Amino acid sequence: MNDDIILQTDHLSKSFFKYQVLTDVNYQLMRGMIAAIIGPNGAGKSTFFNLVTGYHTVSGGNVFFKGQEITNWARHKIAKIGITRAFQVSNIYPKLTTYENVRQSILAQQKRTLNLFIPAERLAKQETLDLLEITGLSGFRNTEAGILSQGDKKKLELALALASKPDLLLLDEPTAGMSSEETHETMQLVKRLNKEIGLTILFTEHDISVIFGYAQKLSVLHQGILVAEGTPEEVRQNKEAQACYLGEEI
Amino acid sequence: MDKKYIFIKRFWLPVALFFIAIILPFVVSEFWVHVFNEILILGLFAAAFNLVFGYMGQLSFGQAAYYGIGAYTTGLLMVKLQWPLFACLPVSMLTAGIGALILGYFCVKLRGIYFAILTMAFGQLVFFIIFQWYSFTGGDNGLQGINPPEWLFKAIPYYYFSLAVVTIGMIILYFITESPFGYTLRAIRDNTERTEFIGINVQRYMLINFVISGMFCGLAGALWGPFNRSVAPDLCGWQHSGHPVFMAVMGGPHHFLGPMIGSVIFTFLNAFVTGFTEYWPLVSGLVIIVVVLVMPGGVFGIIKEKGYFSPRDVGDVKNE
Ligand SMILES: Nc1ncnc2c1ncn2[C@@H]1O[C@H](COP(=O)(O)OP(=O)(O)O)[C@@H](O)[C@H]1O
Ligand SMILES: [Mg+2]
């Protein structure tokens, strides 16, 4: 297998009971890319992420990460090997402060969570503050995460995923609930991380301008089937892709 | 903020309680010294239980099993092998921990009500083994003649001995709850699913915590035998598993000292009320109802709401 392929799925399928939600998805993602999976609501985008990260068990096919098969691995193992994700519906620690949320993920990444005797508040201070800073959450570090606004919860969602220092970051509608300014800031951050540390990013998004503004590669999912793939320009010209977005100019 | 000020704000209460505990035997009668000794032992039991309940967010209805294993370990070693009490304490923690490891292995696969039921079922299992195993445990007769050494024989010295052991136990538990491990427990409580996705093997952490809790339950149990001069199988029974639940709920499971405060209320009321009436279960039931209705979050829940404790400020971490 090509060394530059960071993620590959072979005939990846998922059915819930008798409903086939994802069918034979053959997907490849090159290291260092920013790529997007697009498609109408219910196309199976989140399900694809759920299969790759172990949230759901795979019904058929295989998932490879850096050439290693990871199909149906335990969630924490997939996270540890270098794939982390931000959820579509923010999935944070509502009773912990924003600071404690981020610190928790950093401590996990530093493999310090089995430490029983050093107070957590003495550890990972600078790392936590830095990450809060770059995700624009510094002002809320003492706020209980449960009462943050939707947009700030999504930023925290991103921070939790970044704290794990992944090689592949999956972002499921990362800017949902954000203002256009926040959306822009967040995507700029994603782009910067891609440039500066070579982080590979795969995201889903509804906002057409975000998709075409940031993704280098697009894959169109329709009713669980990968119908088109290519550069944004190629996809724009693609008849099948256009059909999926009937009525919408892409 | 001034470091000294933060320190005082955080620790004035436990320090004050500790000094009150030291002075108590000088101002109360021997009967009440006994009651306070019981408060300490059951308070440690409840604080250990609360690692699983308040911090990890799972209700165990079977921690008395590990309390009982600790009590019987010390009892058997002292009665049958004449071991010194000091040596029995760590061994009791070890046996209780092993018990919690074996039984907890199955419990941590479950969550919520299923977790509660399995812990309870295993608690009853331990109860029945001890109850039935006449030749070894004395069955329903229990074990008698668990006498502490000469210098601890009287009520007051043993009280101070308990105070020392319980204080050390509580300090260790406090450190654990403030450690990265302790915060990982809170994370599991708050959002188990997310915790897996930041790379934490949740079941493994739950099991480790269950074992730690079991060990300290065992330590509390080990103090009980010599205090009471005997142990009986109902120390492991489900009713006894309910006591730390009451205490944590009354005192406040989301504050480290909550279970200990709950023990003060519960044990004190118990001793007080049984002096007047045999309807202690009725009274304790009423108290629980009042607590749950009037002050969800327990005593500490109320205090926190009124603002005596502000949320921990991390605003100054950069300047410290
Ligand atoms: N846990 C589930 N159980 C049953 N059906 C599900 C589940 N998760 C998703 N689905 C179904 O799978 C389809 C794809 O959903 P999803 O992957 O969330 O789509 P998208 O993210 O592209 O909007 C939808 O029809 C949805 O109803
Ligand atoms: Mg989705």
Side-chain angles (χ1 to χ4, degrees), chain B residues 66 99-109 115 122 207 210-211:
Chain B
Y66 315 109
L101 179 66
I102 295 168
L103 301 179
Y105 175 80
F106 301 97
C107 299
V108 299
K109 294 183 189 296
F115 179 91
F122 281 141
L207 182 57
F210 198 79
V211 171

Side-chain angles (χ1 to χ4, degrees), chain A residues 155-186:
Chain A
K155 289 183 194 168
L156 180 54
E157 188 58 51
L158 176 63
L160 289 182
L162 281 178
S164 304
K165 295 197 177 159
D167 295 324
L168 171 60
L169 178 64
L170 304 182
L171 305 173
D172 199 350
E173 304 201 11
T175 65
M178 288 187 185
S179 68
S180 62
E181 192 182 338
E182 287 175 316
T183 297
H184 183 69
E185 279 168 17
T186 301

Side-chain angles (χ1 to χ4, degrees), chain A residues 3 56 66 89 91 113 142 209:
Chain A
D3 261 359
H56 285 144
K66 295 181 179 171
V89 178
N91 195 352
T113 42
N142 294 327
S209 70

